[in-house]
Amino acid sequence: KYGGWTLSGAEMIPHYGIVEIDTLSKELLSKDEGSFLKEADLKAKAALQAIGNGLSAGLFGSGTGVIGTSASATGSSGSVTVTLSIAQQAYNFEVGQYIETDAHLYGTADSYGYITAVDPVAGTIGYTISSGTLGGTDYIWNQGNEPSASGYSYYKAISGLEGWVPSSTPGATSWFGQDRSGHPRLGGLHLTGTSYVIKEAVMRGLTMCVTAGARGPFVVLCHPDQWNVLATALEGSSTISKVYPTWFDGSEIKGSVGFSAINFMSPGGDAQVIADKDCLPSVVYVGPKDNAELHFTPSGIHLIDGDIPIYNSDGRQFRFGCFANFVVPVPGHWCRIAVNAP
């Protein structure tokens, strides 16, 4: 009704994970086939996990691919300690990860380097700068992911909920070929809920969705800390259950992966609260469960190429990847709620 977006092949974003096995390790393990296969399996799982982590974080991103923002740093070159603007962003980094930074959301990176330490409690990362200089409040990307220019067509990460339902009504800038300034429903609904307790803020957001024409069942996506607060606030009027991801036909993907959900009644039908570490503590998203889709090309996440010689090294490289993007067909049935972080 209000939008109805679909994605063309050109708008599917590549995500890669790379595994390298040096010749010495290969030789040492060659006499023990089981050990070699175990080593290869562990490295492959790490690459697949990296792709999964990128997709998971991207579901709540705007599409720019930013994985952190520096609030301050102990220096601008060499080995520095960066304090992130949001402590939980530290979980987006791993020791040895290559990153780039820039004072702007697109263009050419100001610095390149790699991560040497991660402290999620303090919200800091150790960063060794190989080239360029770090600004005090730079944006941070995985190396190679900074958009070269403004606009979704230059994005190198999936466009998540913050892109489809931004913090304010978007202007005329094209979004997947659509001018979203013509009707506020095209850019989603927005609620400043900082003056309400979390339960009331969520109920008001759900009411806005129902008034806009949405129908349940609904999903409430929030940070685990907010999930705990809501579990207490809804005690006595809710139940806890385990929910599973679903295929496009609505059937459940049952297995080891599941989510604990708080079930309660909303103005438009059943609603479930699901926690996700990649959702910011200061934001809650509410919308219909069947109105958000993660799209893959038919091959899904797969081995793209294997046993590739590495330049200037005696090792071999294996490349995993996928082409994917996230779409909200009717953004006007979702509401972004700004809340107080617990």
Side-chain angles (χ1 to χ4, degrees):
K1 293 180 180 179
Y2 306 107
W5 275 274
T6 57
L7 299 176
S8 70
E11 292 157 346
M12 300 295 272
I13 306 297
H15 290 74
Y16 299 111
I18 296 174
V19 174
E20 293 184 355
I21 300 178
D22 62 89
T23 299
L24 176 59
S25 296
K26 190 174 181 180
E27 290 292 330
L28 291 174
L29 295 170
S30 62
K31 294 182 179 180
D32 186 342
E33 184 176 346
S35 295
F36 176 74
L37 291 175
K38 184 177 181 180
E39 175 73 7
D41 181 61
L42 286 172
K43 287 182 176 289
K45 285 180 177 177
L48 294 174
Q49 183 69 44
I51 295 173
N53 288 344
L55 290 171
S56 178
L59 291 177
F60 294 92
S62 63
T64 59
V66 172
I67 58 175
T69 307
S70 64
S72 62
T74 56
S76 59
S77 61
S79 295
V80 301
T81 298
V82 177
T83 299
L84 300 166
S85 58
I86 301 174
Q88 83 166 71
Q89 292 175 335
Y91 288 107
N92 294 333
F93 299 89
E94 302 287 346
V95 172
Q97 178 179 350
Y98 285 86
I99 64 171
E100 61 189 24
T101 74
D102 192 0
H104 306 284
L105 278 172
Y106 57 87
T108 303
D110 291 335
S111 77
Y112 301 88
Y114 56 92
I115 300 299
T116 57
V118 177
D119 187 340
V121 176
T124 61
I125 54 174
Y127 176 34
T128 294
I129 302 169
S130 305
S131 175
T133 57
L134 172 70
T137 55
D138 274 8
Y139 298 103
I140 307 171
W141 292 265
N142 282 312
Q143 192 164 309
N145 275 8
E146 180 182 3
S148 59
S150 178
Y152 74 90
S153 59
Y154 297 96
Y155 288 169
K156 299 177 183 179
I158 64 174
S159 299
L161 284 169
E162 193 65 17
W164 291 97
V165 190
S167 58
S168 60
T169 301
T173 301
S174 175
W175 178 259
F176 293 99
Q178 177 72 52
D179 176 355
R180 297 190 288 175
S181 63
H183 198 296
R185 289 174 180 163
L186 296 173
L189 306 170
H190 316 94
L191 172 64
T192 300
T194 50
S195 60
Y196 309 118
V197 295
I198 185 66
K199 177 181 176 181
E200 183 178 358
V202 168
M203 285 298 190
R204 285 176 178 266
L206 287 165
T207 301
M208 290 174 65
C209 293
V210 173
T211 303
R215 291 294 180 266
F218 291 97
V219 63
V220 178
L221 300 173
C222 62
H223 187 269
D225 288 340
Q226 292 289 15
W227 191 97
N228 292 333
V229 176
L230 277 168
T232 301
L234 293 166
E235 189 173 359
S237 59
S238 63
T239 60
I240 304 294
S241 66
K242 190 172 185 179
V243 296
Y244 297 92
T246 59
W247 299 106
F248 289 118
D249 62 3
S251 61
E252 292 183 339
I253 308 173
K254 290 192 174 180
S256 59
V257 176
F259 307 91
S260 295
I262 307 169
N263 307 284
F264 67 99
M265 290 301 298
S266 78
D270 294 337
Q272 293 182 320
V273 184
I274 296 176
D276 194 299
K277 70 175 182 63
D278 291 305
C279 186
L280 295 177
S282 58
V283 178
V284 174
Y285 298 95
V286 299
K289 289 180 68 175
D290 62 353
N291 186 28
E293 303 164 356
L294 180 60
H295 287 246
F296 288 91
T297 51
S299 53
I301 301 176
H302 63 288
L303 178 64
I304 296 174
D305 207 349
D307 206 22
I308 306 166
I310 303 173
Y311 173 74
N312 203 27
S313 170
D314 62 357
R316 315 292 285 188
Q317 187 179 91
F318 300 82
R319 299 174 183 174
F320 295 85
C322 71
F323 290 84
N325 214 330
F326 181 73
V327 61
V328 177
V330 188
H333 287 175
W334 276 81
C335 183
R336 182 192 189 276
I337 310 171
V339 295
N340 296 310

